[in-house]
Amino acid sequence: MHMSKAEPLIAIVDDDESVRTTLSALMRESGFEALSCPDIASFMALGDPPPVDLALIDLRLRGESGLTLAIHIRERYEIPIVMLTGVGDEIDKIIGLETGADDYLIKPFNPRELVARIRAVLRRYGHGGAKPTSAASGQGIFFGSKRIDIQTRRVLDAEGEEIPLTNAEYRLLEYFARNPNRVIPRPELLQELGSDMQRYVDRTIDVLILRLRRKIEPVASKPVHLQTRRAQGYIFHLSPEGQ
């Protein structure tokens, strides 16, 4: 990942020139540098590896899919990905989660929220300009040997090392941890994530649950914290059952 510049370098991949111009200005006003890419080919032309700190990708590129680029990046580079998707692109959001996108926003979005999301993703990838200050509080929720730091929105393992989570994964985990030992149905989880999806509720939540278990459970296939209650939803135990 590009680390030599003080300002994180954001690649904006969008086929709409006005959107690229607006986002580029927003990035620069927010302390980032920006590269404008109208299509996948122009992103590829940046180099191997591309000298960028984050890729901001529109899923609906003219004549091609932003998912194709996201998959290419995820398979080859340690570059974080934030996707932009239109209202109603439910299936794209699901596939986007499965490709390993770090976050996504639905258009139209609040510019300040986009900047906040980008900063959070960059911090999770260890970018020096996006790390939290040393004044971060120790307030948190413990589960097993891990801790959720509420103020910095980080999950730490027993050694104090951060477990990298996407924004959706973190929000889901924090909601579970704030509501332990209670069966939570999928619609409630979806509402907490702020999604307007209906047809793909089960699929979206299941994708997030699977990825979350791989990161926080000792054995993902035998979860001790985040457990399924068939036909009811999910339940979260701060301590493994029986302890």
Side-chain angles (χ1 to χ4, degrees), residues 113-164:
E113 181 180 5
L114 174 61
V115 171
R117 297 279 191 94
I118 288 175
R119 290 190 190 283
V121 170
L122 286 171
R123 177 182 57 74
R124 290 196 294 267
Y125 275 74
H127 193 287
K131 288 183 179 178
T133 66
S134 58
S137 168
Q139 176 187 5
I141 302 174
F142 289 84
F143 65 99
S145 62
K146 301 175 179 65
R147 177 169 64 89
I148 302 172
D149 189 310
I150 303 300
Q151 285 204 356
T152 63
R153 295 172 60 84
R154 294 187 300 163
V155 179
L156 307 175
D157 63 17
E159 286 72 42
E161 295 295 323
E162 181 175 2
I163 300 171

Side-chain angles (χ1 to χ4, degrees), residues 74-119:
R74 186 55 70 235
E75 288 178 344
R76 294 167 176 79
Y77 314 118
E78 288 296 321
I79 297 174
I81 301 168
V82 174
M83 292 183 173
L84 301 179
T85 179
V87 174
D89 291 342
E90 291 93 350
I91 192 65
D92 278 349
K93 284 179 279 187
I94 295 167
I95 297 173
L97 290 172
E98 292 179 320
T99 64
D102 296 279
D103 207 347
Y104 70 83
L105 268 75
I106 301 174
K107 297 178 180 178
F109 50 81
N110 183 306
R112 285 192 291 183
E113 181 180 5
L114 174 61
V115 171
R117 297 279 191 94
I118 288 175
R119 290 190 190 283

